[in-house]
Amino acid sequence: MSPRRSAAEALGTRAAILERSVAISSAEGLEGLTIGRLALELGMSKSGVLGHFGCKEALQLAVLDRAGEIFRAEVWEPARPAAPGLTRLRALCETWISYLERGVFPGGCFFVAAAHEFDGRPGPVRDVVEARFDAWRGRLRKEARRAVDAGELPSGADPDQLAFELLGAVMALNHALQLHRDPEAPSRARHAVRTRLDA
């Protein structure tokens, strides 16, 4: 076997482990992710799984990175071509709501679930989850600031407050979909966003 083929196969195996890990973690939490379970489900040895990551925490961090890539592809990339400011903020909210409505992750928003699991526990996993939320809140705040500067939102509008309220609306949507299976929740979230951005 050529070194190139061997490296490609290793990357393919790592990707398969990550995809399965993301699905499990989404529904059962990052702590529900065990090397033994992955090995069994993927037809690998435990050492074969560990060989790609080294330890469980490294696997959890890799899973967070992969979930971040999926979120970016599903939410940010479709909205990115929109004009900066209010237009892009509306587009971001729509792709964000759609991502939850379509059930991209089996357990709802991956990062909301991870935050609930790790928000009271110090360590690298919590730090990454916090950084992801900070980055997303920063993106919302940036577009809100652009909208204020362009006169698309009132001059006294507070971008931090707006980002807080938008996060709250979409987290409420995630809760309504996951806990209550409420089919009206996406419409309610869209109405909340529209009301807030049209105020």
Side-chain angles (χ1 to χ4, degrees), residues 98-171:
S98 173
Y99 142 88
L100 292 175
E101 186 177 31
R102 291 179 289 115
V104 171
F105 291 109
C109 180
F110 192 96
F111 293 99
V112 169
H116 178 73
E117 189 177 6
F118 283 89
D119 60 3
R121 301 164 60 181
V125 174
R126 182 199 182 282
D127 293 346
V128 169
V129 173
E130 182 182 20
R132 292 282 180 176
F133 269 99
D134 285 347
W136 184 242
R137 187 170 49 250
R139 168 56 58 194
L140 298 173
R141 189 170 51 238
K142 182 176 183 178
E143 298 305 333
R145 169 55 58 200
R146 286 172 164 170
V148 171
D149 291 346
E152 299 168 331
L153 288 172
S155 60
D158 179 354
D160 286 301
Q161 181 65 30
L162 183 56
F164 184 90
E165 291 178 28
L166 294 175
L167 277 164
V170 180
M171 286 185 183

Side-chain angles (χ1 to χ4, degrees), residues 61-85:
L61 293 171
V63 167
L64 286 169
D65 283 345
R66 178 63 188 132
E69 291 170 358
I70 294 168
F71 182 89
R72 180 181 179 88
E74 293 286 340
V75 180
W76 166 244
E77 291 299 336
R80 187 166 57 94

